[in-house]
Amino acid sequence: MNKNEFDIKLEVAGRSYRIPVRRGDEEEEFLYREAAKRVGLHLVQYRQHYSKSLEDVQLLTMVAIHLARDVLKLEADNEADTYARNIQQWTDRLDEYLKE
């Protein structure tokens, strides 16, 4: 670890993990802590749903898939928004050109 980083401690599924974070980057630290919190919340939900019939590794895999799906949905929504903005910009330009 270099002098521009420090470790934060996160707990997930009863285990502790040390994650290096850039000094002064409060947003990155916050995001890591929130991510660990969400993983923990989803883990509890999956445990309740499957009545402890699955091991933590299996449950954490399901949580990872769930969160990855959420990321993909957000990326697709963002991409659609980008396309819509680009189309609107080209429409505006075309309208301006046709008015001339």
Side-chain angles (χ1 to χ4, degrees), residues 20-59:
V21 176
R22 287 183 303 254
R23 291 193 185 282
D25 195 341
E26 292 86 14
E27 181 181 11
E28 183 177 15
E29 180 179 355
F30 172 79
L31 290 172
Y32 273 118
R33 292 189 188 283
E34 282 298 308
K37 193 182 299 183
R38 286 193 188 185
V39 168
L41 291 172
H42 284 294
L43 185 59
V44 167
Q45 291 173 344
Y46 277 105
R47 271 192 191 126
Q48 290 171 346
H49 182 74
Y50 289 100
S51 303
K52 298 187 180 187
S53 63
L54 298 176
E55 296 177 16
D56 279 351
V57 172
Q58 294 167 306
L59 293 170

Side-chain angles (χ1 to χ4, degrees), residues 37-100:
K37 193 182 299 183
R38 286 193 188 185
V39 168
L41 291 172
H42 284 294
L43 185 59
V44 167
Q45 291 173 344
Y46 277 105
R47 271 192 191 126
Q48 290 171 346
H49 182 74
Y50 289 100
S51 303
K52 298 187 180 187
S53 63
L54 298 176
E55 296 177 16
D56 279 351
V57 172
Q58 294 167 306
L59 293 170
L60 286 168
T61 300
M62 294 175 75
V63 169
I65 292 168
H66 180 112
L67 294 174
R69 184 216 51 186
D70 290 351
V71 167
L72 291 171
K73 185 174 181 335
L74 288 171
E75 287 174 352
D77 291 348
N78 187 36
E79 190 173 301
D81 289 345
T82 300
Y83 286 136
R85 277 193 303 275
N86 287 339
I87 289 170
Q88 187 60 51
Q89 287 174 350
W90 282 105
T91 301
D92 293 345
R93 288 180 184 170
L94 183 59
D95 286 345
E96 286 178 29
Y97 177 76
L98 293 174
K99 288 179 184 176
E100 293 177 359

Side-chain angles (χ1 to χ4, degrees), residues 6-12 15-21 29 32-33 36:
F6 68 101
D7 285 346
I8 59 172
K9 182 179 164 185
L10 303 175
E11 289 201 26
V12 176
R15 298 193 71 182
S16 181
Y17 299 91
R18 297 172 66 84
I19 306 289
V21 176
E29 180 179 355
Y32 273 118
R33 292 189 188 283

